[in-house]
Amino acid sequence: MTYTIEAARPEGSAWLGPLLLRAWLQAYPSPEAGIDEEWIHERRGSAATAEGAIRWREFIEEANRRPALLFCRVVRSGTEPVGLLRGRRGPTVALGPMHLLDHAQGRGTGGRMMTEFLTWAGAARISLWVTDYDESAIRFYRRYGSESTGERELWRVRLPNLRMAREAVPDIDRN
């Protein structure tokens, strides 16, 4: 199966919310944390609505106008959307969300997405939130230089997240 990574286009905004919801339903259910499909639908279901599509379209249009500040890539298998990665440049570069549906994982596509993101981010410090029980995501981000900062949060009072960061990369080319 071939996966293509491309810049998000406004006309594709209608499927980003449903993709995000589907990714959440695959990745985050946890009886121990009290997170089930109903909880996810209540908190992330709005992404899959017409209003969610409008918010995605606005973000994509802004990313296209300001590519140095906003990053948005999508992954497709043929015409099927299977992943996305978004980022924002501020005092640090924020990574997120990044999702790849289960059936598209383990094929190097996540690494290709991350390589594009790291190229865009350059030497800047990068921070992200990861669900603390998502061990495969934590291992993935560690492979790309991120480590736990020790900071934690409960997103919407339930989803346990851990802050990870990749420190700024020194510019060794400077004389």
Side-chain angles (χ1 to χ4, degrees):
M1 203 169 295
T2 302
Y3 296 97
T4 57
I5 301 170
E6 57 192 31
R9 295 186 306 262
E11 60 272 15
S13 62
W15 58 259
L16 285 174
L19 171 67
L20 186 62
L21 179 59
R22 186 172 166 200
W24 270 68
L25 289 167
Q26 288 180 356
Y28 298 128
S30 169
E32 296 82 21
I35 298 171
D36 58 15
E37 287 187 11
E38 180 180 341
W39 188 89
I40 292 169
H41 275 283
E42 287 173 2
R43 271 103 191 142
R44 299 304 300 169
S46 66
T49 65
E51 293 81 17
I54 290 168
R55 286 191 302 273
W56 274 107
R57 176 180 279 280
E58 289 169 350
F59 179 84
I60 293 166
E61 288 171 346
E62 185 69 13
N64 290 339
R65 282 191 300 274
R66 302 174 70 191
L69 298 177
L70 301 171
F71 181 91
C72 191
R73 296 292 183 275
V74 296
V75 181
R76 294 181 188 273
S77 173
T79 60
E80 178 192 8
V82 297
L84 67 99
L85 192 157
R86 195 173 94 168
R88 181 179 302 270
R89 190 178 306 276
T92 65
V93 170
L95 184 156
M98 179 179 182
H99 291 287
L100 195 57
L101 295 180
D102 288 349
H103 71 276
Q105 294 180 16
R107 303 169 192 277
T109 307
R112 288 177 34 225
M113 289 169 61
M114 193 65 165
T115 297
E116 283 195 32
F117 180 78
L118 292 174
T119 299
W120 173 80
R125 181 178 193 271
I126 297 170
S127 67
L128 62 106
W129 288 102
V130 62
T131 300
D132 76 355
Y133 56 80
D134 191 344
E135 288 298 323
S136 65
I138 292 169
R139 283 191 308 274
F140 175 83
Y141 293 125
R142 281 192 176 130
R143 279 197 306 271
Y144 291 92
S146 291
E147 292 297 332
S148 171
T149 66
E151 185 179 354
R152 296 181 174 277
E153 73 165 10
L154 284 175
W155 186 79
R156 303 285 171 101
V157 192
R158 193 166 297 169
L159 185 69
N161 287 322
L162 170 68
R163 167 84 69 192
M164 295 185 78
R166 182 198 79 171
E167 294 307 320
V169 178
D171 184 359
I172 60 173
D173 292 333
R174 242 187 279 169
N175 291 335

